[in-house]
Amino acid sequence: MVRVGLTPERLTLAGAELADEVGFDQVTVSALARRFDVKVASLYSHLKNSQELKTRIALFALEELADRVADAVAGRAGKDALAAFADAYRDYAREHPGRYAAARLRLDPETAAASAGVRHAQMTRAILRGYDLTGPDQTHAVRMLGSVFHGYVSLELAGGFEHSAPDSQESWLWIVDSLDALLRNRATP
Amino acid sequence: MVRVGLTPERLTLAGAELADEVGFDQVTVSALARRFDVKVASLYSHLKNSQELKTRIALFALEELADRVADAVAGRAGKDALAAFADAYRDYAREHPGRYAAARLRLDPETAAASAGVRHAQMTRAILRGYDLTGPDQTHAVRMLGSVFHGYVSLELAGGFEHSAPDSQESWLWIVDSLDALLRNRATP
DNA sequence: GCTTTTGCCTAAAGCTTTTAGGCAAAACGG
DNA sequence: CCGTTTTGCCTAAAAGCTTTAGGCAAAAGC
């Protein structure tokens, strides 16, 4: 009986990889056990249940994505920062579709409050510092940016823009451009 | 042995209702059988498999949503049409979260091409007739509108805007307003 | 080196999907 | 109206996923 050295962390990472390969909702405790070549029940010493596995992958993905975004926007401002933010988001989703899907898992409020989701919100607000938006306008803008980026990436991943011209990349640039113009127009004089 | 009168149509509708109650991914052949108080295997005379059930619900939802949107935008133009389109979309998602999730199911290309998804694209383009966009700009705009509306609705359904001011409704109006302005700015002179 | 802890195991129950084959109710045809 | 065909729901059963309980041996601690 050789010990493989399972830990919640290793299981989470392997789960994230599995998610990217087969899709987040195909991530099961069974599939993970196969991947480590151990019996299914063995994983239950490290995970409370299947839900915990998914939550852990979600938190991991949120963190990883937040790190990437932070890296991308560091030292940038204005439209430059906006584009870097948008690209970081989109690139992550394309490189790691399963993890991206995981990051969208609905977390219970306490878990969400303790997650890197908070950093995401902060960084979005930071982007908007370049645009002089005041009061509720800032929140509206945060919500709009979140919606556009999430919406676009999720439609793109679903293959929505695959079989039609122009290229998705062009639309992406057009949209980022438009958002920049929109935010500048909304700026308080 | 009383016959209940199962048909693919009744199963689809019941599946849609079930989706709204418990979430689209909790819709199972088993749950549906329980709802009709018949044995699970009985449903397999009417459905090829679980996937077909889900696809049927998705197609049903797409159709229903397209009907609603068509109704909402009929006789309107410009910003008025844009707002009606947006609201129809959002209201459907809030009234029928499970069906809305179903409508986002990834369909294989042929199924998608034969679905009401085509009408959705046409109606989005129709909205843009009020904004004099030419060539690729129109496609970019279609993609952006789809992204914003889908993104917002999906974040809202996930509870993303629940515990913070200002009210979600205000942001929604702000966003529709902003999109209208954006599209007017993009119009070719 | 001996004890305690830990990690992976077997066993088993419950749920979902799916296929195969059976029997009785409904529909059809004379 | 009765006999035949079709249809609809049934039982049975296999295979996969989740989860719990209890066991044994490897690793860690003294």
Side-chain angles (χ1 to χ4, degrees):
Chain A
M1 197 192 306
V2 186
R3 297 201 180 184
V4 186
L6 303 175
T7 62
E9 288 71 29
R10 285 190 66 200
L11 291 173
T12 303
L13 181 57
E17 288 165 2
L18 186 58
D20 286 335
E21 290 164 23
V22 302
F24 182 55
D25 34 49
Q26 303 303 317
V27 173
T28 65
V29 179
S30 292
L32 207 52
R34 273 193 296 276
R35 179 168 271 241
F36 281 99
D37 205 35
V38 299
K39 297 294 166 183
V40 187
S42 306
L43 301 199
Y44 282 85
S45 315
H46 306 280
L47 300 168
K48 212 171 103 269
N49 52 34
S50 169
Q51 186 52 48
E52 180 178 309
L53 171 62
K54 286 176 180 160
T55 303
R56 276 179 182 278
I57 297 173
L59 293 174
F60 171 78
L62 278 173
E63 199 101 20
E64 190 175 46
L65 177 53
D67 287 348
R68 282 215 187 187
V69 171
D71 230 53
V73 302
R76 297 180 197 273
K79 185 181 173 184
D80 209 31
L82 181 68
F85 180 93
D87 283 340
Y89 209 78
R90 178 168 174 244
D91 291 346
Y92 186 76
R94 300 208 293 181
E95 281 173 45
H96 298 296
R99 300 180 197 196
Y100 179 76
R104 308 259 44 118
L105 183 69
R106 185 167 190 165
L107 302 171
D108 55 290
E110 318 93 77
T111 311
S115 77
V118 178
R119 276 170 70 206
H120 287 270
Q122 285 167 349
M123 289 189 290
T124 312
R125 280 209 139 72
I127 295 290
L128 292 174
R129 271 203 285 275
Y131 291 97
D132 293 317
L133 291 166
T134 52
D137 275 7
Q138 209 180 56
T139 304
H140 298 324
V142 167
R143 291 173 176 177
M144 184 177 68
L145 291 182
S147 300
V148 183
F149 296 153
H150 166 52
Y152 192 91
V153 160
S154 109
L155 292 176
E156 186 177 35
L157 280 187
F161 309 145
E162 248 163 38
H163 302 297
S164 54
D167 205 71
S168 178
Q169 174 64 18
E170 284 182 50
S171 292
W172 183 250
L173 294 176
W174 188 93
I175 288 171
V176 171
D177 233 60
S178 301
L179 290 173
D180 171 64
L182 188 163
L183 293 174
R184 276 190 279 104
N185 278 336
R186 285 284 191 179
T188 32
Chain B
M1 200 192 302
V2 186
R3 298 200 180 185
V4 187
L6 304 176
T7 63
E9 289 69 32
R10 285 190 67 199
L11 290 173
T12 304
L13 181 56
E17 288 165 3
L18 186 57
D20 286 335
E21 289 165 24
V22 303
F24 183 55
D25 35 47
Q26 303 303 316
V27 173
T28 66
V29 180
S30 292
L32 208 51
R34 273 194 296 276
R35 179 169 271 240
F36 281 98
D37 205 34
V38 298
K39 297 295 165 181
V40 186
S42 306
L43 300 200
Y44 281 84
S45 316
H46 307 278
L47 300 168
K48 215 172 100 264
N49 52 34
S50 170
Q51 185 53 49
E52 180 177 311
L53 171 62
K54 284 176 183 159
T55 302
R56 276 180 182 277
I57 298 172
L59 293 174
F60 171 79
L62 278 173
E63 199 99 21
E64 190 175 48
L65 177 52
D67 287 348
R68 282 215 190 187
V69 171
D71 230 53
V73 302
R76 296 180 199 273
K79 185 180 173 183
D80 208 32
L82 181 68
F85 180 94
D87 283 341
Y89 209 79
R90 177 167 175 244
D91 290 346
Y92 186 76
R94 300 207 293 182
E95 280 173 46
H96 298 295
R99 301 181 196 196
Y100 179 76
R104 308 258 47 114
L105 183 68
R106 184 168 191 166
L107 303 171
D108 55 291
E110 317 94 80
T111 311
S115 77
V118 177
R119 277 170 71 205
H120 286 271
Q122 286 168 348
M123 289 189 290
T124 313
R125 281 207 139 74
I127 296 289
L128 293 175
R129 273 204 283 275
Y131 292 97
D132 292 317
L133 292 165
T134 54
D137 276 7
Q138 207 180 58
T139 304
H140 298 324
V142 168
R143 291 173 176 176
M144 185 175 70
L145 291 183
S147 300
V148 183
F149 297 153
H150 166 52
Y152 192 91
V153 161
S154 110
L155 292 176
E156 185 177 35
L157 279 187
F161 309 145
E162 247 164 38
H163 301 298
S164 54
D167 203 71
S168 177
Q169 175 64 17
E170 283 182 50
S171 292
W172 182 250
L173 294 175
W174 188 92
I175 288 172
V176 172
D177 232 61
S178 300
L179 290 173
D180 172 64
L182 188 162
L183 293 173
R184 276 190 280 106
N185 278 336
R186 285 284 191 180
T188 35

